[in-house]
Amino acid sequence: MTIGRIIEGRDAVITCDVAMTVREAAGVLADKRIGAVPVMENGEIAGIFSERDVIYKLREVGADVLDMPLGHIMTAMPVTAEPETSVMAALSLMTRRRIRHLPVVQDGRMVGFVSIGDLVKYRIDKIETEAAAMRDYIQTA
């Protein structure tokens, strides 16, 4: 199974722009009940903004961070994957790099965004399906 299959049929990815304030972007996270968003600059992915970024900068800078441009606190140079990347390869990459969100990029354009939760859910569903098939096989043998 590939990442491309996981993102198939999903709605458009919610994004923020590097010029947005941290306050505005935090509002997007809260309104959409999500933990992170890709940050775009001139139509290309420039970074990822997550609730962790807010927490770390709040401790460092204080409440003034809320009025800073998102481009100043986002995690720049995000790790990305292609739609053809296997779920297991993506899980391995995310574990090694200690990241929870992965933009999916094809031909320089972001086509999706997955979380480690999306990938773990797929793996659990697959394991449960295989276990059910094995139980059925054993019961009918």
Side-chain angles (χ1 to χ4, degrees), residues 86-112:
S86 74
V87 169
M88 291 307 292
L91 278 169
S92 176
L93 173 66
M94 294 172 88
T95 301
R96 272 193 330 274
R97 297 296 300 269
R98 299 181 54 85
I99 57 176
R100 297 179 298 153
H101 300 90
L102 194 60
V104 183
V105 177
Q106 186 172 37
D107 300 324
R109 188 174 68 79
M110 189 175 65
V111 296

PDB file of all heavy atoms in Angstrom, residues 86-112:
ATOM      1  N   SER A  86       5.800   3.688   0.054  1.00  0.00           N
ATOM      2  CA  SER A  86       4.994   2.693   0.758  1.00  0.00           C
ATOM      3  C   SER A  86       4.688   3.179   2.168  1.00  0.00           C
ATOM      4  O   SER A  86       5.423   3.991   2.743  1.00  0.00           O
ATOM      5  CB  SER A  86       5.726   1.350   0.829  1.00  0.00           C
ATOM      6  OG  SER A  86       6.776   1.408   1.769  1.00  0.00           O
ATOM      7  N   VAL A  87       3.594   2.675   2.717  1.00  0.00           N
ATOM      8  CA  VAL A  87       3.202   3.039   4.084  1.00  0.00           C
ATOM      9  C   VAL A  87       4.316   2.658   5.058  1.00  0.00           C
ATOM     10  O   VAL A  87       4.667   3.441   5.944  1.00  0.00           O
ATOM     11  CB  VAL A  87       1.865   2.372   4.474  1.00  0.00           C
ATOM     12  CG1 VAL A  87       1.592   2.517   5.957  1.00  0.00           C
ATOM     13  CG2 VAL A  87       0.726   2.970   3.646  1.00  0.00           C
ATOM     14  N   MET A  88       4.904   1.477   4.887  1.00  0.00           N
ATOM     15  CA  MET A  88       5.958   1.040   5.802  1.00  0.00           C
ATOM     16  C   MET A  88       7.197   1.930   5.695  1.00  0.00           C
ATOM     17  O   MET A  88       7.816   2.259   6.709  1.00  0.00           O
ATOM     18  CB  MET A  88       6.318  -0.424   5.545  1.00  0.00           C
ATOM     19  CG  MET A  88       5.212  -1.388   5.930  1.00  0.00           C
ATOM     20  SD  MET A  88       4.623  -1.178   7.629  1.00  0.00           S
ATOM     21  CE  MET A  88       6.055  -1.727   8.530  1.00  0.00           C
ATOM     22  N   ALA A  89       7.546   2.353   4.499  1.00  0.00           N
ATOM     23  CA  ALA A  89       8.697   3.248   4.326  1.00  0.00           C
ATOM     24  C   ALA A  89       8.410   4.604   4.971  1.00  0.00           C
ATOM     25  O   ALA A  89       9.292   5.198   5.615  1.00  0.00           O
ATOM     26  CB  ALA A  89       9.027   3.422   2.845  1.00  0.00           C
ATOM     27  N   ALA A  90       7.182   5.091   4.826  1.00  0.00           N
ATOM     28  CA  ALA A  90       6.815   6.366   5.434  1.00  0.00           C
ATOM     29  C   ALA A  90       6.826   6.269   6.963  1.00  0.00           C
ATOM     30  O   ALA A  90       7.324   7.169   7.642  1.00  0.00           O
ATOM     31  CB  ALA A  90       5.436   6.810   4.945  1.00  0.00           C
ATOM     32  N   LEU A  91       6.289   5.171   7.504  1.00  0.00           N
ATOM     33  CA  LEU A  91       6.325   4.969   8.957  1.00  0.00           C
ATOM     34  C   LEU A  91       7.755   4.924   9.466  1.00  0.00           C
ATOM     35  O   LEU A  91       8.085   5.525  10.500  1.00  0.00           O
ATOM     36  CB  LEU A  91       5.596   3.682   9.337  1.00  0.00           C
ATOM     37  CG  LEU A  91       4.081   3.765   9.443  1.00  0.00           C
ATOM     38  CD1 LEU A  91       3.480   2.368   9.549  1.00  0.00           C
ATOM     39  CD2 LEU A  91       3.674   4.625  10.624  1.00  0.00           C
ATOM     40  N   SER A  92       8.605   4.243   8.747  1.00  0.00           N
ATOM     41  CA  SER A  92      10.008   4.144   9.131  1.00  0.00           C
ATOM     42  C   SER A  92      10.672   5.524   9.110  1.00  0.00           C
ATOM     43  O   SER A  92      11.382   5.903  10.047  1.00  0.00           O
ATOM     44  CB  SER A  92      10.738   3.188   8.187  1.00  0.00           C
ATOM     45  OG  SER A  92      12.097   3.150   8.482  1.00  0.00           O
ATOM     46  N   LEU A  93      10.429   6.284   8.051  1.00  0.00           N
ATOM     47  CA  LEU A  93      10.983   7.629   7.924  1.00  0.00           C
ATOM     48  C   LEU A  93      10.513   8.522   9.077  1.00  0.00           C
ATOM     49  O   LEU A  93      11.309   9.227   9.698  1.00  0.00           O
ATOM     50  CB  LEU A  93      10.564   8.229   6.575  1.00  0.00           C
ATOM     51  CG  LEU A  93      10.905   9.694   6.331  1.00  0.00           C
ATOM     52  CD1 LEU A  93      12.417   9.882   6.256  1.00  0.00           C
ATOM     53  CD2 LEU A  93      10.241  10.179   5.041  1.00  0.00           C
ATOM     54  N   MET A  94       9.233   8.482   9.356  1.00  0.00           N
ATOM     55  CA  MET A  94       8.670   9.329  10.412  1.00  0.00           C
ATOM     56  C   MET A  94       9.226   8.941  11.782  1.00  0.00           C
ATOM     57  O   MET A  94       9.497   9.808  12.620  1.00  0.00           O
ATOM     58  CB  MET A  94       7.144   9.266  10.379  1.00  0.00           C
ATOM     59  CG  MET A  94       6.567   9.878   9.108  1.00  0.00           C
ATOM     60  SD  MET A  94       4.809   9.609   8.924  1.00  0.00           S
ATOM     61  CE  MET A  94       4.173  11.029   9.804  1.00  0.00           C
ATOM     62  N   THR A  95       9.415   7.667  11.998  1.00  0.00           N
ATOM     63  CA  THR A  95       9.972   7.206  13.269  1.00  0.00           C
ATOM     64  C   THR A  95      11.431   7.638  13.402  1.00  0.00           C
ATOM     65  O   THR A  95      11.835   8.169  14.445  1.00  0.00           O
ATOM     66  CB  THR A  95       9.843   5.672  13.382  1.00  0.00           C
ATOM     67  OG1 THR A  95       8.467   5.327  13.284  1.00  0.00           O
ATOM     68  CG2 THR A  95      10.415   5.169  14.692  1.00  0.00           C
ATOM     69  N   ARG A  96      12.213   7.427  12.353  1.00  0.00           N
ATOM     70  CA  ARG A  96      13.629   7.811  12.383  1.00  0.00           C
ATOM     71  C   ARG A  96      13.814   9.303  12.592  1.00  0.00           C
ATOM     72  O   ARG A  96      14.681   9.730  13.350  1.00  0.00           O
ATOM     73  CB  ARG A  96      14.315   7.416  11.076  1.00  0.00           C
ATOM     74  CG  ARG A  96      14.884   6.043  11.026  1.00  0.00           C
ATOM     75  CD  ARG A  96      15.810   5.821   9.826  1.00  0.00           C
ATOM     76  NE  ARG A  96      15.535   6.569   8.627  1.00  0.00           N
ATOM     77  CZ  ARG A  96      14.677   6.199   7.677  1.00  0.00           C
ATOM     78  NH1 ARG A  96      13.998   5.081   7.795  1.00  0.00           N
ATOM     79  NH2 ARG A  96      14.497   6.944   6.607  1.00  0.00           N
ATOM     80  N   ARG A  97      13.001  10.102  11.901  1.00  0.00           N
ATOM     81  CA  ARG A  97      13.146  11.568  11.959  1.00  0.00           C
ATOM     82  C   ARG A  97      12.363  12.193  13.119  1.00  0.00           C
ATOM     83  O   ARG A  97      12.436  13.387  13.328  1.00  0.00           O
ATOM     84  CB  ARG A  97      12.690  12.183  10.637  1.00  0.00           C
ATOM     85  CG  ARG A  97      13.512  11.762   9.421  1.00  0.00           C
ATOM     86  CD  ARG A  97      14.965  12.205   9.463  1.00  0.00           C
ATOM     87  NE  ARG A  97      15.126  13.631   9.536  1.00  0.00           N
ATOM     88  CZ  ARG A  97      15.253  14.432   8.486  1.00  0.00           C
ATOM     89  NH1 ARG A  97      15.282  13.929   7.274  1.00  0.00           N
ATOM     90  NH2 ARG A  97      15.377  15.735   8.661  1.00  0.00           N
ATOM     91  N   ARG A  98      11.596  11.356  13.833  1.00  0.00           N
ATOM     92  CA  ARG A  98      10.803  11.803  14.986  1.00  0.00           C
ATOM     93  C   ARG A  98       9.834  12.929  14.597  1.00  0.00           C
ATOM     94  O   ARG A  98       9.769  13.975  15.226  1.00  0.00           O
ATOM     95  CB  ARG A  98      11.704  12.220  16.143  1.00  0.00           C
ATOM     96  CG  ARG A  98      12.573  11.079  16.632  1.00  0.00           C
ATOM     97  CD  ARG A  98      13.464  11.461  17.788  1.00  0.00           C
ATOM     98  NE  ARG A  98      12.774  12.046  18.922  1.00  0.00           N
ATOM     99  CZ  ARG A  98      12.186  11.368  19.906  1.00  0.00           C
ATOM    100  NH1 ARG A  98      12.211  10.052  19.891  1.00  0.00           N
ATOM    101  NH2 ARG A  98      11.595  12.000  20.895  1.00  0.00           N
ATOM    102  N   ILE A  99       9.091  12.664  13.509  1.00  0.00           N
ATOM    103  CA  ILE A  99       8.099  13.627  13.034  1.00  0.00           C
ATOM    104  C   ILE A  99       6.730  12.962  13.023  1.00  0.00           C
ATOM    105  O   ILE A  99       6.620  11.744  12.959  1.00  0.00           O
ATOM    106  CB  ILE A  99       8.444  14.177  11.626  1.00  0.00           C
ATOM    107  CG1 ILE A  99       8.585  13.042  10.614  1.00  0.00           C
ATOM    108  CG2 ILE A  99       9.704  15.028  11.691  1.00  0.00           C
ATOM    109  CD1 ILE A  99       8.827  13.499   9.189  1.00  0.00           C
ATOM    110  N   ARG A 100       5.687  13.783  13.099  1.00  0.00           N
ATOM    111  CA  ARG A 100       4.331  13.251  13.150  1.00  0.00           C
ATOM    112  C   ARG A 100       3.512  13.575  11.911  1.00  0.00           C
ATOM    113  O   ARG A 100       2.414  13.059  11.751  1.00  0.00           O
ATOM    114  CB  ARG A 100       3.606  13.799  14.387  1.00  0.00           C
ATOM    115  CG  ARG A 100       4.247  13.356  15.683  1.00  0.00           C
ATOM    116  CD  ARG A 100       3.534  13.937  16.891  1.00  0.00           C
ATOM    117  NE  ARG A 100       3.613  15.388  16.863  1.00  0.00           N
ATOM    118  CZ  ARG A 100       2.739  16.198  17.420  1.00  0.00           C
ATOM    119  NH1 ARG A 100       1.698  15.715  18.054  1.00  0.00           N
ATOM    120  NH2 ARG A 100       2.886  17.492  17.357  1.00  0.00           N
ATOM    121  N   HIS A 101       4.033  14.437  11.036  1.00  0.00           N
ATOM    122  CA  HIS A 101       3.282  14.855   9.851  1.00  0.00           C
ATOM    123  C   HIS A 101       4.199  14.840   8.640  1.00  0.00           C
ATOM    124  O   HIS A 101       5.366  15.213   8.734  1.00  0.00           O
ATOM    125  CB  HIS A 101       2.701  16.256  10.062  1.00  0.00           C
ATOM    126  CG  HIS A 101       1.774  16.311  11.226  1.00  0.00           C
ATOM    127  ND1 HIS A 101       2.215  16.612  12.494  1.00  0.00           N
ATOM    128  CD2 HIS A 101       0.457  16.060  11.316  1.00  0.00           C
ATOM    129  CE1 HIS A 101       1.182  16.553  13.321  1.00  0.00           C
ATOM    130  NE2 HIS A 101       0.110  16.225  12.640  1.00  0.00           N
ATOM    131  N   LEU A 102       3.634  14.432   7.518  1.00  0.00           N
ATOM    132  CA  LEU A 102       4.433  14.249   6.310  1.00  0.00           C
ATOM    133  C   LEU A 102       3.685  14.802   5.095  1.00  0.00           C
ATOM    134  O   LEU A 102       2.652  14.265   4.697  1.00  0.00           O
ATOM    135  CB  LEU A 102       4.692  12.751   6.124  1.00  0.00           C
ATOM    136  CG  LEU A 102       5.738  12.281   5.141  1.00  0.00           C
ATOM    137  CD1 LEU A 102       7.119  12.813   5.500  1.00  0.00           C
ATOM    138  CD2 LEU A 102       5.761  10.766   5.121  1.00  0.00           C
ATOM    139  N   PRO A 103       4.199  15.893   4.512  1.00  0.00           N
ATOM    140  CA  PRO A 103       3.617  16.379   3.259  1.00  0.00           C
ATOM    141  C   PRO A 103       3.914  15.390   2.129  1.00  0.00           C
ATOM    142  O   PRO A 103       4.998  14.814   2.068  1.00  0.00           O
ATOM    143  CB  PRO A 103       4.341  17.704   3.003  1.00  0.00           C
ATOM    144  CG  PRO A 103       4.984  18.060   4.304  1.00  0.00           C
ATOM    145  CD  PRO A 103       5.261  16.762   4.999  1.00  0.00           C
ATOM    146  N   VAL A 104       2.943  15.209   1.256  1.00  0.00           N
ATOM    147  CA  VAL A 104       3.098  14.322   0.104  1.00  0.00           C
ATOM    148  C   VAL A 104       3.255  15.225  -1.118  1.00  0.00           C
ATOM    149  O   VAL A 104       2.372  16.030  -1.417  1.00  0.00           O
ATOM    150  CB  VAL A 104       1.886  13.378  -0.044  1.00  0.00           C
ATOM    151  CG1 VAL A 104       2.105  12.422  -1.200  1.00  0.00           C
ATOM    152  CG2 VAL A 104       1.626  12.630   1.259  1.00  0.00           C
ATOM    153  N   VAL A 105       4.404  15.094  -1.777  1.00  0.00           N
ATOM    154  CA  VAL A 105       4.756  15.999  -2.875  1.00  0.00           C
ATOM    155  C   VAL A 105       4.989  15.198  -4.153  1.00  0.00           C
ATOM    156  O   VAL A 105       5.622  14.150  -4.134  1.00  0.00           O
ATOM    157  CB  VAL A 105       6.034  16.798  -2.512  1.00  0.00           C
ATOM    158  CG1 VAL A 105       6.467  17.687  -3.656  1.00  0.00           C
ATOM    159  CG2 VAL A 105       5.816  17.614  -1.251  1.00  0.00           C
ATOM    160  N   GLN A 106       4.433  15.715  -5.251  1.00  0.00           N
ATOM    161  CA  GLN A 106       4.631  15.097  -6.561  1.00  0.00           C
ATOM    162  C   GLN A 106       4.947  16.199  -7.564  1.00  0.00           C
ATOM    163  O   GLN A 106       4.197  17.187  -7.663  1.00  0.00           O
ATOM    164  CB  GLN A 106       3.380  14.334  -6.988  1.00  0.00           C
ATOM    165  CG  GLN A 106       3.553  13.564  -8.262  1.00  0.00           C
ATOM    166  CD  GLN A 106       2.351  12.676  -8.531  1.00  0.00           C
ATOM    167  OE1 GLN A 106       1.215  13.036  -8.252  1.00  0.00           O
ATOM    168  NE2 GLN A 106       2.614  11.503  -9.062  1.00  0.00           N
ATOM    169  N   ASP A 107       6.039  16.046  -8.290  1.00  0.00           N
ATOM    170  CA  ASP A 107       6.476  17.038  -9.277  1.00  0.00           C
ATOM    171  C   ASP A 107       6.559  18.438  -8.678  1.00  0.00           C
ATOM    172  O   ASP A 107       6.125  19.422  -9.290  1.00  0.00           O
ATOM    173  CB  ASP A 107       5.535  17.037 -10.490  1.00  0.00           C
ATOM    174  CG  ASP A 107       5.506  15.685 -11.189  1.00  0.00           C
ATOM    175  OD1 ASP A 107       6.558  15.023 -11.242  1.00  0.00           O
ATOM    176  OD2 ASP A 107       4.412  15.284 -11.661  1.00  0.00           O
ATOM    177  N   GLY A 108       7.073  18.524  -7.448  1.00  0.00           N
ATOM    178  CA  GLY A 108       7.255  19.807  -6.784  1.00  0.00           C
ATOM    179  C   GLY A 108       5.992  20.435  -6.221  1.00  0.00           C
ATOM    180  O   GLY A 108       6.035  21.545  -5.709  1.00  0.00           O
ATOM    181  N   ARG A 109       4.882  19.736  -6.303  1.00  0.00           N
ATOM    182  CA  ARG A 109       3.599  20.278  -5.845  1.00  0.00           C
ATOM    183  C   ARG A 109       3.047  19.385  -4.735  1.00  0.00           C
ATOM    184  O   ARG A 109       3.058  18.162  -4.839  1.00  0.00           O
ATOM    185  CB  ARG A 109       2.632  20.303  -7.026  1.00  0.00           C
ATOM    186  CG  ARG A 109       1.324  21.000  -6.777  1.00  0.00           C
ATOM    187  CD  ARG A 109       0.507  21.105  -8.062  1.00  0.00           C
ATOM    188  NE  ARG A 109       0.019  19.841  -8.568  1.00  0.00           N
ATOM    189  CZ  ARG A 109      -1.048  19.187  -8.080  1.00  0.00           C
ATOM    190  NH1 ARG A 109      -1.723  19.682  -7.083  1.00  0.00           N
ATOM    191  NH2 ARG A 109      -1.431  18.045  -8.608  1.00  0.00           N
ATOM    192  N   MET A 110       2.581  20.003  -3.646  1.00  0.00           N
ATOM    193  CA  MET A 110       2.013  19.232  -2.555  1.00  0.00           C
ATOM    194  C   MET A 110       0.648  18.685  -2.966  1.00  0.00           C
ATOM    195  O   MET A 110      -0.228  19.426  -3.392  1.00  0.00           O
ATOM    196  CB  MET A 110       1.861  20.066  -1.284  1.00  0.00           C
ATOM    197  CG  MET A 110       1.482  19.189  -0.103  1.00  0.00           C
ATOM    198  SD  MET A 110       1.416  20.072   1.455  1.00  0.00           S
ATOM    199  CE  MET A 110       0.057  21.167   1.147  1.00  0.00           C
ATOM    200  N   VAL A 111       0.485  17.371  -2.833  1.00  0.00           N
ATOM    201  CA  VAL A 111      -0.765  16.717  -3.228  1.00  0.00           C
ATOM    202  C   VAL A 111      -1.497  16.089  -2.043  1.00  0.00           C
ATOM    203  O   VAL A 111      -2.596  15.570  -2.207  1.00  0.00           O
ATOM    204  CB  VAL A 111      -0.521  15.654  -4.321  1.00  0.00           C
ATOM    205  CG1 VAL A 111      -0.018  16.300  -5.600  1.00  0.00           C
ATOM    206  CG2 VAL A 111       0.436  14.569  -3.846  1.00  0.00           C
ATOM    207  N   GLY A 112      -0.877  16.136  -0.875  1.00  0.00           N
ATOM    208  CA  GLY A 112      -1.517  15.559   0.302  1.00  0.00           C
ATOM    209  C   GLY A 112      -0.689  15.791   1.544  1.00  0.00           C
ATOM    210  O   GLY A 112       0.418  16.338   1.490  1.00  0.00           O
TER     211      GLY A 112
END
